[in-house]
Amino acid sequence: MFPRDFAWGAGTAAYQIEGGWQADSKGPSIWDTFCHEKGKVFGDQNGDVACNSYELWEKDLECIRKLGLTHYRFSLSWSRLLPEGTTRHVNQKGVQYYNKVIDDLLACNVSPMVTLYHFDLPQALQDQGGWKSPSTASLFDSYAKFCFQTFGDRVKLWITINEPYVCAKLGHEDGIHAPGLKEPGTTAYLVGHNMLRAHAMAWQSYDSLYRSKQGGQVSLAINSDWVEPFSTDCNEDIAATERYLAFSLGWFAWPVFVTGDYPEIMRSAIDAQSRKLGHKDSSRLPSFSKDEPSVLGTADFFALNYYTSRKVKPGGGCGRMMCMKSDRDAAEVLDPSWPICGVSWLAVVPDGLRKLLKYIKDTFNNPTVYITENGFSQLGPVEIEDVQRAEFYKDTILKVAEAIQEDGVRVRGYFAWSLLDNFEWADGFSVRFGLFHVDFADEMRSRTVYRSGQEYAKMILKHKLGK
Ligand code: GAL
C-alpha cells in the first residue's frame, strides 16, 4: 500500500514540550515573554515546564519506540542554542541536549526531521524589530548554518520555518500568538516576506555549503486548509475560493515552487483594496529584490501541514479600515456536511487532505510531499479510549494511500501531530493533540498511550510489514 521507505512519524515543537525555559542559560523567546503577560493565553498558562522534555527526553524516546515510528519531527529552540539569537554566544548545554536527542534517535533507528524555527524567536531579536526587520533573515541564516554545521552530519531532513502563515497572521495581524502585535493590513505581509527571505537564504546556504557533504534535504512547512466554494455553481464563490487559497497556501508556496513572486491574485487584491481606501501605497505586499537570490526553487520537497477544510464565500472584512481579511474578501462558511469537532476551528475532513494533495501535485509540478503535520484534538475531560481520534487516523491514512495509488501524488511521509499532549499555544493545555496523554498535574508528567496511539502503532506495523 505504501512505499517501503515511507516515513511514519509524529511531531512536536520545542516551546510546546521542552519546559526548562531558563535552564542552563537558555535565553528567553517571544513565547516566554508572551505567556508571562497576563491575559494572553488560556488560564494564563505557559510553557515554563510543559512536558518537561528538557529533563525527560528519555520518556519521549520510549513513546517514540512504543509507536514504532521511523521518523520523529522536533524543533530546536533557537534561544536555547544561541541565547542572544546570534552565534556570538553559543550555549553548549543546548548543543549537548540536541546532540543527545539526535544520537538516541539514530541508535533506535529513528530518523530525525528537524525544524529550525517553530514560532519561538529569541526575545533578544524581537527587541531589535523581530521579523519586521530585514536583518532577522540574515540572522536566521547564520543560525541555520550553525545548525547544519553542528547537527547536519546526522540530520538529513530539515524544515527551516514552520507555518510562516500562522506566525505572520496570528502573531502580527491578530495578535493572538507571540509577539502579540495587532498591526492589521501591513505587518503580516512584511513578516511573511522576511520569513520567505530567511528560508531562501538558509536553503541557499545548505545548497552551496553543506549539501554535497551531508546529502540532506531542506524545505519549509506550509499550512493549508482544503477549500471549496460554498456553492459550486456560483462564480463569486469560486473566485472567493481562489482568493482564499492565494492568501494562504499560495502566499508561501507560489514564490517557492512556481514563480519566485507572490500570486498575482494576492498582489492585485491588495492593490485594489489600497486604492479603494484611498491609499496610494500599493506596496503593503513587499517586492522581492533583484539584488538577492531568488526564492524560487528553494525547497527539496513540499512539507504540508493539514488540519481542516472550509467552504468559502466572498466577504469577511474585519470591519476596520485595512486588514488582511478585507484584502482577501473571502469568508469561511460553516457547512453542515463538515461539522466542527473538538477545537473551535477543526472540522474533521480526511478527504480534504486527499483533494489538497492532488491540488498540490497539479499546481506545484508534482513535488515529493511530506505531510509534516496532521491531527485532531480532544477537548474537555480526557478520554484515554479516544475511539473517535483512532478512527480519524485510520480514515486519514486511507486517504493518503488513495492519494498515492489513485492520484499518483508522490507522498513520502506522514507525521501525526503530536507525539504528546502539549502546550497548544493560545489554548494552553486545554486542547490535547497527543498520541500520548500527559498528566500535567503530575510532577513527573507521566505519559500514557491513548487508544489513538495504539491504533497508529498498529497501522505503522502493518504497513512496515507490507500488508
Ligand atoms: C500548527 C502548529 C503546531 C500545533 C498545531 C495544532 O499550526 O504548527 O504547533 O499547535 O497547529 O494546532
Side-chain angles (χ1 to χ4, degrees):
M1 238 181 157
F2 284 89
R4 275 238 162 252
D5 57 352
F6 194 79
W8 292 102
T12 57
Y15 188 74
Q16 295 182 278
I17 66 162
E18 283 180 4
W21 79 284
Q22 287 182 307
D24 298 332
S25 53
K26 172 184 168 292
S29 82
I30 54 173
W31 270 95
D32 293 310
T33 311
F34 187 70
C35 294
H36 292 152
E37 214 177 297
K38 288 237 166 310
K40 298 292 184 191
V41 170
F42 173 88
D44 286 331
Q45 294 171 338
N46 59 57
D48 289 4
V49 182
C51 307
N52 201 10
S53 293
Y54 188 63
E55 289 179 5
L56 301 175
W57 153 246
E58 270 96 354
K59 298 275 173 223
D60 296 354
L61 185 62
E62 276 173 32
C63 299
I64 291 166
R65 299 188 66 180
K66 214 171 194 162
L67 296 179
L69 302 182
T70 64
H71 288 65
Y72 176 55
R73 175 177 178 230
F74 64 97
S75 83
L76 307 178
S77 156
W78 185 344
S79 63
R80 188 180 297 290
L81 288 165
L82 311 177
E84 287 121 43
T86 70
T87 47
R88 266 199 306 273
H89 170 202
V90 176
N91 173 21
Q92 288 305 333
K93 285 282 174 59
V95 174
Q96 273 167 29
Y97 173 67
Y98 293 118
N99 269 334
K100 178 159 171 51
V101 170
I102 293 165
D103 291 344
D104 286 354
L105 286 169
L106 291 173
C108 298
N109 246 327
V110 179
S111 305
M113 175 188 268
V114 172
T115 309
L116 294 174
Y117 184 76
H118 201 124
F119 302 172
D120 50 351
L121 192 75
Q123 182 59 44
L125 300 190
Q126 187 61 41
D127 296 342
Q128 297 163 40
W131 286 110
K132 282 165 82 165
S133 159
S135 57
T136 299
S138 333
L139 294 171
F140 176 79
D141 182 37
S142 305
Y143 160 61
K145 281 192 276 202
F146 167 79
C147 295
F148 298 148
Q149 176 74 38
T150 311
F151 306 115
D153 53 337
R154 289 152 293 154
V155 175
K156 304 300 163 193
L157 286 171
W158 294 97
I159 300 293
T160 53
I161 293 181
N162 180 68
E163 301 189 348
Y165 175 92
V166 170
C167 275
K169 178 150 188 313
L170 275 58
H172 301 80
E173 166 103 6
D174 306 335
I176 57 176
H177 273 197
L181 299 183
K182 287 187 193 157
E183 300 175 353
T186 51
T187 303
Y189 299 134
L190 178 60
V191 161
H193 191 72
N194 285 329
M195 287 187 158
L196 274 169
R197 291 177 54 245
H199 158 76
M201 286 181 194
W203 185 91
Q204 300 285 359
S205 295
Y206 191 83
D207 200 49
S208 56
L209 302 173
Y210 300 97
R211 188 188 298 283
S212 61
K213 273 179 281 169
Q214 300 185 346
Q217 295 192 310
V218 182
S219 191
L220 76 172
I222 300 181
N223 60 292
S224 184
D225 301 343
W226 171 244
V227 284
E228 285 177 12
F230 185 70
S231 306
T232 43
D233 53 1
C234 168
N235 286 338
E236 283 77 27
D237 291 4
I238 294 170
T241 306
E242 282 173 13
R243 284 197 301 278
Y244 190 102
L245 262 181
F247 273 82
S248 47
L249 178 63
W251 183 1
F252 298 97
W254 205 259
V256 172
F257 289 92
V258 189
T259 60
D261 204 347
Y262 297 109
E264 192 42 45
I265 299 184
M266 195 177 175
R267 167 89 50 206
S268 56
I270 295 170
D271 289 1
Q273 180 69 3
S274 297
R275 279 195 300 274
K276 209 159 97 191
L277 296 169
H279 289 265
K280 274 193 245 48
D281 179 16
S282 58
S283 64
R284 286 190 287 128
L285 184 64
S287 297
F288 290 100
S289 159
K290 299 259 177 311
D291 303 333
E292 287 189 355
S294 169
V295 298
L296 179 62
T298 59
D300 301 316
F301 56 91
F302 199 108
L304 171 70
N305 293 358
Y306 168 80
Y307 285 93
T308 192
S309 293
R310 293 278 184 261
K311 299 278 169 85
V312 175
K313 267 183 169 305
C318 64
R320 288 196 215 101
M321 281 282 288
M322 190 168 64
C323 71
M324 272 187 64
K325 281 187 173 170
S326 306
D327 291 335
R328 189 181 70 186
D329 186 20
E332 300 170 358
V333 193
L334 267 192
D335 186 286
S337 59
W338 290 347
I340 300 283
C341 321
V343 252
S344 62
W345 52 270
L346 215 162
V348 175
V349 191
D351 198 40
L353 175 56
R354 178 176 170 187
K355 292 179 182 164
L356 182 57
L357 287 169
K358 175 75 167 54
Y359 177 88
I360 287 170
K361 177 189 171 194
D362 296 342
T363 314
F364 303 114
N365 195 24
N366 196 13
T368 55
V369 180
Y370 284 86
I371 299 158
T372 36
E373 284 183 30
N374 173 250
F376 164 39
S377 59
Q378 289 198 35
L379 262 187
V382 172
E383 282 181 65
I384 294 290
E385 286 299 314
D386 57 341
V387 183
Q388 212 192 357
R389 293 173 75 229
E391 284 301 312
F392 161 84
Y393 278 110
K394 260 193 226 158
D395 294 348
T396 304
I397 286 167
L398 185 66
K399 291 293 165 193
V400 177
E402 287 173 5
I404 296 173
Q405 280 162 4
E406 291 172 36
D407 304 335
V409 187
R410 301 197 292 147
V411 187
R412 292 287 185 267
Y414 175 86
F415 290 73
W417 184 270
S418 169
L419 181 68
L420 306 172
D421 284 344
N422 59 44
F423 178 81
E424 177 52 21
W425 310 115
D427 288 326
F429 298 101
S430 67
V431 170
R432 293 175 179 267
F433 270 96
L435 295 165
F436 282 78
H437 171 264
V438 176
D439 183 353
F440 294 103
D442 169 16
E443 211 186 317
M444 287 315 294
R445 300 293 193 272
S446 54
R447 284 101 159 113
T448 310
V449 69
Y450 283 112
R451 165 71 78 92
S452 54
Q454 280 171 341
E455 292 300 325
Y456 187 46
K458 279 190 210 158
M459 286 186 266
I460 295 176
L461 185 63
K462 193 176 119 197
H463 294 302
K464 272 189 188 164
L465 297 172
K467 288 189 187 155

